[in-house]
Each structure stands twice: as C-alpha cells, then as structure tokens.
Amino acid sequence: FFDEIWLGLNNRSLIDHIFNQNWTYFGLAYRFDQSSKISIGYLYQVLNHSSTSLEKNSIIQLGLESTIDLRKT
C-alpha cells in the first residue's frame, strides 16, 4: 500500500493551485517459485488540471513476472 501526493511548486502552480496529483495504490502478489510470480493491484489517481477541473482514474493492474537465468548452459 502506498499514497503519494504531488505538489506543484513552480510560480504558475502556486498561483493556480499547489495540489498537482495524488496516487493511492494497493496490491497483492503470489510467488509460485523462485522464478515466477503474479500480482494484482488497484490504483486510484486524482489529477488536478486546474482550479475547477479534477480527473479521477481507477486502474486495475495485473502483472506476471518471470526470471530467466541466462548464466545457465
């Protein structure tokens, strides 16, 4: 689980808005063996485009990871 808050600290952002975006993520993973695992996660993202416009995104992520040892012959 993590939560990131992004702030815009340049001159234009301070005038318009300081809050830039926020990401909240929660995920789980299962390792099958030493070389492979599967993971699933949920990301909720809020993007501040202007003082009157917020974009909200819900994203589900599925990942497969496999490690191949190229040193083996």
Side-chain angles (χ1 to χ4, degrees):
F1 174 81
F2 72 85
D3 185 28
E4 293 182 2
I5 297 174
W6 299 54
L7 302 175
L9 299 177
N10 61 27
N11 290 337
R12 185 176 182 281
S13 290
L14 289 175
I15 294 169
D16 294 340
H17 55 278
I18 194 167
F19 169 72
N20 187 289
Q21 55 187 294
N22 186 27
W23 300 0
T24 303
Y25 182 85
F26 176 78
L28 299 171
Y30 177 76
R31 182 169 296 281
F32 293 107
D33 53 32
Q34 291 290 341
S35 64
S36 60
K37 76 175 180 179
I38 188 169
S39 61
I40 189 166
Y42 173 76
L43 172 67
Y44 182 70
Q45 179 185 50
V46 178
L47 305 172
N48 188 5
H49 295 292
S50 69
S51 60
T52 59
S53 173
L54 286 178
E55 177 183 344
K56 299 177 183 179
N57 299 310
S58 293
I59 301 165
I60 295 178
Q61 176 188 31
L62 178 65
L64 300 171
E65 182 179 317
S66 180
T67 303
I68 301 170
D69 189 355
L70 298 175
R71 297 173 292 180
K72 292 182 180 180
T73 56

